[in-house]
Amino acid sequence: MGLKLENIVDRLEAGGGLQRDELAALLFDDDLEGITYLKRRARHVTDRIYGTDIYIRGLIEFTSYCKNNCLYCGIRCANKKAQRYRLTKEQIMECCKQGYALGFRTFVLQGGEDAYFDEKTVCGIVHDIKAAFPDCAITLSIGEKSRAQYQAYFDAGADRYLLRHETANETHYGKLHPKEMRLENRKRCLVDLKEIGYQVGAGFMVGSPFQTVETIYEDLQFLKELKPHMVGIGPFIPHKDTPFAGEHAGTLEMTLRLLSIIRLQNPRVLLPATTALGTIHPMGRELGIAAGANVVMPNLSPATMREKYRLYDNKLCTGDEAAQGLSGLAKRMRDIGYQVVVDRGDYRRE
Ligand code: SAH
């Protein structure tokens, strides 16, 4: 029968939804011209809204302790081999100071769900960063909390929150997480965060175990309804000390196609070319940008700690991946026609 990819892409760009068989065609078809068209249109939409600017975020992985036991994640609590560390507030402030000097105007505080960082402690850190760097945005990525806690962080000065939904399919969610974790609660968190006024990021891993066209279809539906300001997607990469050690990694190509599809479906979304994408391919970052991504998140954590925040095997944390290597990253972006900018890089409303 032959679905013509160009037609599917045009309709997606015009705001029409995707049918399941059309999604499958976009994900698996080897019609190179059609796929090139998909990526070009996605990049074109990005250029129209954000130009050729690339926004940078300084990622500070401030704790590798986690009470959760997500089956895919290297810092799951059952992984006794994981090296655990916490940064002090002073160390976090030092990361921000270095990052500010390098040109970062967004700091992303990411970590496991670590009870040591209770509401008061997190609010204190957020408050102090905001006081020292009032022109910067603060993004938190510390998992599922109560609405009251999210409100408290927001009142302390947090601007954005990243919480990937991981998969919008209940059964799939259950295969990736221990039974105490519920998709329903993760969705509740995302809705609370949005209502409070955060710029919110959702997202999922590409090629995670048990993912199917159907689950991806549901992910896209979910993103269409939620309308997050950011969507983080990157390939699943197995970690040797997790139950998914023997699973296949997600592919570069599938991740690129999904970046483009998400860009066409949610045109204004902030879309990072993630560390995981850079990890599975030396040009992953550049290819992600060409497919419609417009954000990169170099690592600002202290060099001695980086190795320990190991969500998956071979995770990049040096060279152009490190914030200190920003000039290298900036050059790589210039080489493909884009410029890293000193800017908070907020979501652009219509
Ligand atoms: N505790 C926080 C931060 C989680 S780490 C939270 O719950 O949101 C950030 C993201 O890394 C996760 O949302 C997950 O999608 C991704 N990740 C974890 N393990 C991974 C793996 N093995 N391969 C690729 N990405 C992974």
Side-chain angles (χ1 to χ4, degrees):
M1 39 160 229
L3 292 166
K4 189 136 170 53
L5 296 193
E6 281 85 347
N7 296 342
I8 303 174
V9 171
D10 286 344
R11 253 187 308 110
L12 184 59
E13 186 179 347
L18 279 181
Q19 305 297 323
R20 286 175 178 76
D21 58 339
E22 296 175 326
L23 172 62
L26 290 181
L27 293 180
F28 299 115
D29 212 309
D30 52 14
D31 163 13
L32 203 65
E33 263 176 47
I35 293 306
T36 303
Y37 185 74
L38 165 70
K39 294 175 186 168
R40 281 229 188 90
R41 290 316 303 168
R43 187 59 238 178
H44 179 81
V45 168
T46 318
D47 286 345
R48 200 180 71 223
I49 298 164
Y50 292 101
T52 51
D53 286 354
I54 301 298
Y55 297 142
I56 49 171
R57 323 295 194 197
L59 181 62
I60 304 170
E61 296 158 335
F62 70 100
T63 173
S64 66
Y65 285 87
C66 191
K67 73 172 170 63
N68 289 336
N69 208 22
C70 307
L71 277 77
Y72 45 82
C73 185
I75 63 167
R76 66 202 302 266
C77 64
N79 182 9
K80 301 296 175 229
K81 292 192 186 154
Q83 291 185 287
R84 309 289 175 175
Y85 69 91
R86 291 184 179 109
L87 300 188
T88 62
K89 181 156 83 177
E90 291 64 38
Q91 287 174 307
I92 296 172
M93 294 300 288
E94 183 56 36
C95 293
C96 295
K97 196 173 146 197
Q98 285 187 21
Y100 193 89
L102 287 164
F104 288 90
R105 294 297 177 267
T106 292
F107 302 116
V108 180
L109 300 181
Q110 187 179 85
E113 291 197 24
D114 178 0
Y116 172 88
F117 289 96
D118 58 9
E119 182 178 312
K120 198 163 151 252
T121 310
V122 173
C123 288
I125 294 168
V126 169
H127 174 272
D128 286 10
I129 297 176
K130 213 55 188 196
F133 308 99
D135 54 337
C136 293
I138 300 178
T139 306
L140 294 177
S141 179
I142 51 177
E144 298 174 23
K145 309 283 173 184
S146 68
R147 181 169 180 132
Q149 278 172 307
Y150 289 146
Q151 185 69 56
Y153 308 152
F154 188 78
D155 295 341
D159 303 273
R160 308 183 188 138
Y161 205 102
L162 303 180
L163 185 77
R164 291 186 177 180
H165 65 284
E166 311 296 357
T167 171
N169 177 283
E170 196 87 52
T171 312
H172 188 209
Y173 195 91
K175 291 180 179 172
L176 300 180
H177 299 98
K179 59 178 179 313
E180 314 81 75
M181 291 180 74
R182 312 288 316 183
L183 176 58
E184 198 185 324
N185 193 49
R186 216 147 171 102
K187 287 184 173 171
R188 187 272 305 161
C189 289
L190 286 163
V191 170
D192 280 347
L193 289 161
K194 244 190 140 188
E195 285 176 4
I196 289 168
Y198 284 94
Q199 290 180 43
V200 173
F204 58 94
M205 294 176 288
V206 177
S208 63
F210 312 106
Q211 187 176 61
T212 61
V213 174
E214 175 59 30
T215 66
I216 297 175
Y217 181 81
E218 291 176 35
D219 286 324
L220 295 175
Q221 290 284 108
F222 176 71
L223 293 175
K224 203 168 177 180
E225 281 157 31
L226 179 70
K227 298 190 187 66
H229 307 86
M230 303 165 275
V231 173
I233 64 161
F236 159 74
I237 303 174
H239 184 292
K240 62 179 176 18
D241 302 315
T242 64
F244 291 160
E247 301 287 336
H248 291 292
T251 66
L252 170 75
E253 184 56 25
M254 180 96 116
T255 308
L256 297 175
R257 292 182 187 195
L258 275 163
L259 282 169
S260 296
I261 293 168
I262 292 167
R263 167 65 67 204
L264 292 174
Q265 179 186 281
N266 297 43
R268 298 184 164 268
V269 81
L270 292 158
L271 206 52
T274 55
T275 305
L277 188 59
T279 298
I280 57 163
H281 191 281
M283 294 290 281
R285 284 290 173 64
E286 285 88 339
L287 292 165
I289 303 285
N294 66 328
V295 174
V296 283
M297 300 171 61
N299 198 312
L300 255 186
S301 313
T304 52
M305 306 291 177
R306 264 180 227 163
E307 176 58 21
K308 300 179 183 162
Y309 194 82
R310 199 191 269 232
L311 303 178
Y312 44 82
D313 291 338
N314 306 315
K315 179 166 165 276
L316 290 187
C317 61
T318 55
D320 295 347
E321 202 57 40
Q324 291 71 12
L326 188 62
S327 58
L329 180 73
K331 179 178 183 313
R332 288 173 61 168
M333 293 296 125
R334 274 198 307 279
D335 288 347
I336 55 168
Y338 300 87
Q339 58 284 339
V340 164
V341 292
V342 178
D343 193 301
R344 277 173 46 122
D346 284 296
Y347 180 81
R348 292 224 180 123
R349 295 177 192 284
E350 304 199 36

